[in-house]
Amino acid sequence: MSTNVLTPERVRAVAVAPRSALALAWSDCLVLTGRSLRHLTRNMDQLIQTFSLPIILLLMFRYLLGGAIKTDQTYINYVISGLIVISAGFNLTSTVIGVTNDMRNGIVERFRSMPVLPPSVLVAHVAAAVLRTFVSATVLIVAGFLVGFRPDAGPLEWLAVIGLLALFATALCWVAVILGLLAKSVEGGSGYGLILVFLPYLSSALVPTETMPKVLGTIVRYQPVSAIADAVRSLLTEAPAGNSIWLALVWWAAILLLAVPTAARLFRRRALG
Amino acid sequence: MSSEYAIEARGLAKSYGDVHALRGVDLYAERGSMLALLGPNGAGKTTVIRILTTLLIPDGGTATVGGHDVVRAAARVREVIGLTGQEMSVDGLLTGRENLVMMGRLFHLGKAAARQRADDLLEQFDLTEAAGRQARWYSGGMRRRLDLAVSLITAPPVIFLDEPTTGLDPRSRQGMWEVIRKLMADGTTILLTTQYLEEADILADRVALIDGGGVVAEGTPGDLKRRIGSERIEFQFATDDVAEKAQLLVGGAVLHGNGLSVPAADPAEVRHLINRVADAGFDATGLEIRRPTLDDVFLTMTGQTEGATL
């Protein structure tokens, strides 16, 4: 244990040249996103959520339940977009828990005592979760091909799908961040996470709304999760778009615009508490 | 005046609703010295640390750290301090090395520099072997060392250690003291909080005793100990009544039921006091001689208002 490693001169010698505040904030976000992604490889729950669960759901709905559900197109073509939405919800339970953990165990406190922009932590959680959602979606689409999924989307439609899913995932991630900030404990956090898991089941993600009772069907048809599932389905397959793309855009843009400032306010209050 | 002190606080006050966590705390730590903040749980130690490390804005009073105001120049303060809190504030899912590299990058060191610094610190804190293991599997002592290593990445001139040894086994505690001594030898100013009088006694230049949100006593560890005696005699008597009568024979004694706790300056006084009680005809049913603890300091310091004298 030599003491010379502690001299400030030594550290100053290796420190980088001063950069602009924006460059530093960007660097903070990148470093912390790297951290959140690294969690993925360390955490069995997250690996299962991101890789295995989508495949299990796919096989279950393709072979176990799919035969009994009547849709205008092949059920696999119908259900892929729904499963993408559902797996986004699964991926977010770990975001809720991750945020709760960070707020509870003192690491945010440490960041606040450092020259770090504290909200970078939240931005990093969102960025990592959006990436995980895209990984799950890719897994689903590739596995879907193997079991009969036949999209008829051109390059423009694919781009539109990516854009819509990015908006949806980002907005939903900020909702997950809010739940994480609200949770008083990690156990509570995983309880809140279930909301995100359950919401897609009350939508047109897995089954058409036509066979539902009239009132329920109407509510379900226009809720935000149905809108995104319908919009992605219409872009990927021959399903009619109706107004689902606009509905999805408006819903999720509104949710994003509401969720970010709410999360920011909660974060400030929690962090200063 | 402010240039002599690395940490200077005047009249710090903080309330949470009706609860006055701090009511006018004054603290001074000279450059390169260690100030220990002693107090029981809930005394306000952590609140003081949180204010001085810019985590909490005080309701009243002012404080500077490294010459920078903790409210108006918070960003400057953050550049010159390191903080090791009570909780483990490292990432349990990352390895020891990954934690240090990440924190180095967040202190805005370059990639190569952050790696170099991480390796230096791992070696210095005896963590090289465990560097590739996830921090959640570390022992209590290893976590604290990693935590401390993180706060030393930029070799800050002022370090806050919030109960760095609470919950550690004696060997880990010794290891932590070792590290803290090295920091002091490097000229770092340290503010340490602890519940252990012994720890402050061994490490600190000055001690501030904090209770009920205020500083009750301040001085060198020697000063404080002299005020409560270097030895402590615990008498047990057959009844409360006998204990009360025996209390009148000796000064500064604290009564609790049929027990009587008596301060003594040195072994000679211990013998003298025991003899005096025995000669007066009070037969002790139990007798123990021990070193004073923080409890004694508090019982004595707060006992003063109730008529006990030193």
Side-chain angles (χ1 to χ4, degrees):
Chain A
M1 287 216 213
S2 57
T3 51
N4 70 330
V5 283
L6 273 181
T7 57
E9 290 72 26
R10 174 87 192 262
V11 172
R12 249 180 252 123
V14 294
V16 290
R19 287 174 285 171
S20 72
L22 198 67
L24 289 179
W26 175 247
S27 147
D28 290 349
C29 287
L30 281 187
V31 171
L32 289 168
T33 305
R35 159 184 180 248
S36 295
L37 287 177
R38 207 161 247 159
H39 285 176
L40 178 62
T41 64
R42 302 294 154 77
N43 197 328
M44 210 50 190
D45 293 359
Q46 282 197 24
L47 278 176
I48 291 174
Q49 278 165 8
T50 304
F51 290 100
S52 319
L53 215 54
I55 295 178
I56 294 168
L57 284 175
L58 177 74
L59 297 179
M60 193 170 91
F61 280 96
R62 170 72 176 87
Y63 294 111
L64 200 66
L65 304 169
I69 302 171
K70 204 172 129 343
T71 47
D72 295 337
Q73 50 196 326
T74 62
Y75 184 65
I76 180 72
N77 272 5
Y78 181 92
V79 84
I80 279 279
S81 70
L83 292 179
I84 290 175
V85 169
I86 285 179
S87 54
F90 278 119
N91 272 309
L92 288 179
T93 54
S94 48
T95 303
V96 179
I97 294 170
V99 170
T100 312
N101 242 328
D102 281 356
M103 298 306 288
R104 296 276 129 207
N105 76 3
I107 206 159
V108 166
E109 190 98 332
R110 157 152 266 153
F111 291 153
R112 289 188 57 235
S113 77
M114 290 164 56
V116 172
L117 202 65
S120 313
V121 187
L122 301 185
V123 174
H125 274 296
V126 170
V130 170
L131 280 170
R132 282 203 308 271
T133 303
F134 272 99
V135 169
S136 291
T138 310
V139 166
L140 270 168
I141 286 167
V142 171
F145 265 115
L146 300 178
V147 295
F149 172 55
R150 292 294 173 264
D152 65 353
L156 269 182
E157 276 97 351
W158 278 109
L159 276 180
V161 166
I162 292 170
L164 268 181
L165 282 180
L167 171 66
F168 159 71
T170 310
L172 197 61
C173 288
W174 280 105
V175 175
V177 166
I178 291 174
L179 295 178
L181 290 171
L182 284 174
K184 298 268 188 290
S185 66
V186 176
E187 289 75 21
S190 53
Y192 284 146
L194 284 179
I195 299 172
L196 297 176
V197 173
F198 191 67
L199 206 60
Y201 291 95
L202 279 177
S203 76
S204 62
L206 299 171
V207 287
T209 53
E210 284 81 30
T211 56
M212 297 177 188
K214 196 162 183 303
V215 179
L216 181 66
T218 310
I219 296 171
V220 166
R221 191 172 314 141
Y222 293 106
Q223 67 117 315
V225 177
S226 296
I228 181 74
D230 289 348
V232 169
R233 181 180 306 119
S234 75
L235 288 164
L236 287 181
T237 70
E238 69 276 20
N243 51 9
S244 63
I245 294 175
W246 293 115
L247 206 57
L249 274 176
V250 170
W251 258 125
W252 291 102
I255 290 173
L256 183 64
L257 287 177
L258 260 172
V260 175
T262 308
R265 197 172 323 127
L266 272 175
F267 180 72
R268 210 168 303 136
R269 200 188 314 154
R270 284 279 181 283
L272 276 172
Chain B
M1 169 154 169
S2 70
S3 62
E4 289 168 49
Y5 295 109
I7 301 170
E8 187 175 5
R10 280 187 212 186
L12 285 185
K14 181 74 192 174
S15 304
Y16 297 97
D18 291 338
V19 183
H20 299 285
L22 297 182
R23 28 180 121 216
V25 169
D26 298 325
L27 290 174
Y28 305 91
E30 281 175 32
R31 273 176 207 286
S33 74
M34 178 192 278
L35 172 68
L37 222 51
L38 272 171
N41 289 331
K45 302 189 301 280
T46 298
T47 307
V48 169
I49 291 241
R50 287 179 51 111
I51 289 173
L52 294 177
T53 53
T54 77
L55 297 176
L56 198 63
I57 294 170
D59 299 336
T62 58
T64 61
V65 172
H68 309 295
D69 188 286
V70 295
V71 178
R72 276 173 296 150
R76 301 297 302 277
V77 171
R78 284 177 204 136
E79 286 170 6
V80 299
I81 60 167
L83 166 66
T84 294
Q86 293 177 33
E87 295 168 273
M88 177 188 168
S89 55
V90 293
D91 190 325
L93 289 175
L94 300 187
T95 67
R97 176 177 283 112
E98 285 169 343
N99 264 295
L100 282 165
V101 173
M102 174 183 79
M103 293 296 185
R105 302 275 286 135
L106 292 174
F107 275 117
H108 306 132
L109 299 184
K111 238 180 221 166
R115 284 202 199 109
Q116 177 62 52
R117 186 71 183 138
D119 286 339
D120 287 352
L121 286 164
L122 285 166
E123 198 195 326
Q124 194 188 356
F125 283 86
D126 222 358
L127 289 168
T128 307
E129 246 170 79
R133 256 191 291 150
Q134 287 178 45
R136 60 177 157 166
W137 309 123
Y138 280 19
S139 70
M142 286 161 73
R143 282 181 198 184
R144 295 288 171 95
R145 293 210 299 278
L146 178 60
D147 205 274
L148 184 54
V150 166
S151 49
L152 298 181
I153 286 172
T154 57
V158 183
I159 292 184
F160 295 86
L161 302 173
D162 194 6
E163 301 196 9
T165 62
T166 299
L168 292 189
D169 62 54
R171 186 188 294 273
S172 306
R173 179 168 300 157
Q174 295 277 355
M176 200 52 129
W177 288 350
E178 198 65 14
V179 170
I180 293 171
R181 282 209 189 91
K182 289 232 159 75
L183 286 175
M184 294 172 71
D186 280 347
T188 312
T189 307
I190 299 178
L191 193 146
L192 168 113
T193 73
T194 179
Q195 300 186 38
Y196 310 112
L197 181 62
E198 185 198 5
E199 187 162 291
D201 190 10
I202 289 173
L203 297 171
D205 298 303
R206 294 189 80 79
V207 174
L209 206 59
I210 188 165
D211 190 28
V215 175
V216 239
E218 202 271 346
T220 66
D223 287 345
L224 284 185
K225 276 202 301 185
R226 267 191 293 283
R227 282 192 226 173
I228 63 157
S230 76
E231 311 287 336
R232 209 78 206 170
I233 315 164
E234 296 289 339
F235 290 99
Q236 292 284 323
F237 295 101
T239 63
D240 296 7
D241 198 39
V242 181
E244 264 175 59
K245 283 180 185 147
Q247 187 188 14
L248 301 174
L249 287 175
V250 290
V254 179
L255 187 68
H256 36 86
N258 63 341
L260 190 64
S261 177
V262 184
D266 50 48
E269 197 187 354
V270 170
R271 199 177 57 233
H272 174 72
L273 283 167
I274 293 172
N275 285 340
R276 190 195 292 175
V277 170
D279 291 349
F282 299 110
D283 289 327
T285 57
L287 187 66
E288 189 198 345
I289 300 160
R290 59 178 178 82
R291 295 266 152 187
T293 65
L294 187 56
D295 288 347
D296 301 318
V297 179
F298 275 100
L299 288 170
T300 312
M301 297 280 173
T302 52
Q304 273 177 301
T305 53
E306 286 155 26
T309 49
L310 283 172

